[in-house]
């Protein structure tokens, strides 16, 4: 004996088809919007990284004042008469000038290091990464929720179909399916 295959009425079929079409259109539109948002996040990431790299390169290329200090010392050293360079008092004076130059150079280096560390700290603590992380988590969470909603909408459509075919209320007809 062949099983009897129940059929849906035209009106019910049209209603279910309309609901499924509307749900599919809404799902597709929201997925496209979310993927567009993810593309925009990627563009923002690339632009931000470019800006950070450019600022870092600019900072590295910045002229410091160490070379003029060394050039001034060399000029003064070369102005000292060659015969006087061997005099103990002149040697002591030159050593003193070297120490002064060394201290000046270290001061310049420490100032530059403090500026670089400040810039690095500002870059690390600007909150940009945390904001982007939050936005990405929100987008992916929204996409997961869309998938869950789509699944439950499909289950709801199946339950309505089963209920229409069997003549039972959808929850009674699928009670065993939902409980496992």
């Amino acid at each position: 004996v062949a099983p009897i295959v129940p059929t849906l009425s035209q009106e019910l079929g049209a209603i279910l088809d309309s609901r499924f079409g509307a749900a599919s259109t809404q799902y597709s539109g929201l997925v496209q919007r979310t993927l567009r948002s993810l593309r925009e996040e990627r563009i923002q990431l690339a632009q931000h990284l470019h800006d950070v790299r450019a600022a870092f390169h600019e900072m590295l290329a910045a002229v410091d004042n160490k070379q003029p200090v060394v050039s001034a010392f060399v000029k003064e050293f070369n102005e000292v008469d060659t015969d006087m360079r061997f005099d103990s008092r002149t040697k002591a004076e030159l050593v003193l000038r070297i120490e002064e130059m060394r201290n000046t150079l270290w001061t310049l280096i420490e100032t530059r290091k403090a500026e670089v560390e400040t810039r690095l700290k500002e870059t690390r603590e600007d909150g940009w990464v945390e904001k982007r992380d939050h936005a990405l988590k929100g987008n992916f969470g929204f996409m997961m929720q869309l998938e869950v909603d789509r699944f439950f909408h499909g289950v709801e459509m199946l339950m309505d179909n089963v209920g229409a075919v069997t003549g039972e209320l959808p929850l009674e007809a699928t009670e065993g399916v939902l409980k496992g």
Side-chain angles (χ1 to χ4, degrees):
V1 175
I4 300 173
V5 179
T7 58
L8 291 175
S9 67
Q10 287 285 58
E11 297 84 24
L12 184 57
I15 291 170
L16 290 175
D17 183 52
S18 171
R19 283 180 51 205
F20 182 76
S24 294
T25 302
Q26 180 184 17
Y27 172 79
S28 296
L30 291 173
V31 166
Q32 287 175 0
R33 188 183 85 191
T34 306
L35 291 175
R36 184 178 317 113
S37 178
L38 290 171
R39 282 191 300 274
E40 290 169 2
E41 286 291 328
R42 187 182 70 218
I43 290 168
Q44 286 180 5
L45 170 70
Q47 182 62 46
H48 181 72
L49 289 177
H50 174 269
D51 294 345
V52 168
R53 285 182 185 137
F56 182 72
H57 178 69
E58 187 177 305
M59 183 179 60
L60 289 178
V63 178
D64 58 11
N65 295 326
K66 292 189 292 272
Q67 185 59 46
V69 171
V70 173
S71 296
F73 172 78
V74 169
K75 181 181 177 201
E76 289 175 11
F77 180 81
N78 287 336
E79 289 175 355
V80 174
D81 187 32
T82 308
D83 294 333
M84 291 195 60
R85 292 181 188 172
F86 300 104
D87 180 46
S88 61
R89 288 181 295 179
T90 307
K91 285 181 184 180
E93 177 65 25
L94 290 174
V95 168
L96 179 64
R97 288 183 186 180
I98 289 172
E99 283 298 314
E100 289 173 352
M101 179 186 67
R102 184 182 71 85
N103 291 338
T104 303
L105 290 174
W106 271 114
T107 303
L108 292 172
I109 289 170
E110 289 169 353
T111 302
R112 174 82 183 243
K113 181 180 177 183
E115 291 171 359
V116 169
E117 287 175 347
T118 301
R119 173 73 176 144
L120 179 62
K121 184 178 179 184
E122 288 171 358
T123 301
R124 285 182 176 166
E125 295 176 354
D126 68 354
W128 187 87
V129 172
E130 290 80 10
K131 290 175 188 172
R132 299 288 58 86
D133 182 56
H134 182 71
L136 286 173
K137 285 178 181 176
N139 281 328
F140 282 111
F142 185 70
M143 296 228 1
M144 288 190 299
Q145 185 61 50
L146 282 174
E147 288 295 331
V148 169
D149 292 347
R150 179 179 173 195
F151 172 77
F152 278 112
H153 185 75
V155 169
E156 186 179 87
M157 294 285 293
L158 288 173
M159 289 172 53
D160 289 346
N161 187 22
V162 168
V165 168
T166 62
E168 299 177 14
L169 292 175
L171 288 178
E172 293 173 3
T174 58
E175 197 169 281
V177 174
L178 293 176
K179 289 183 180 177

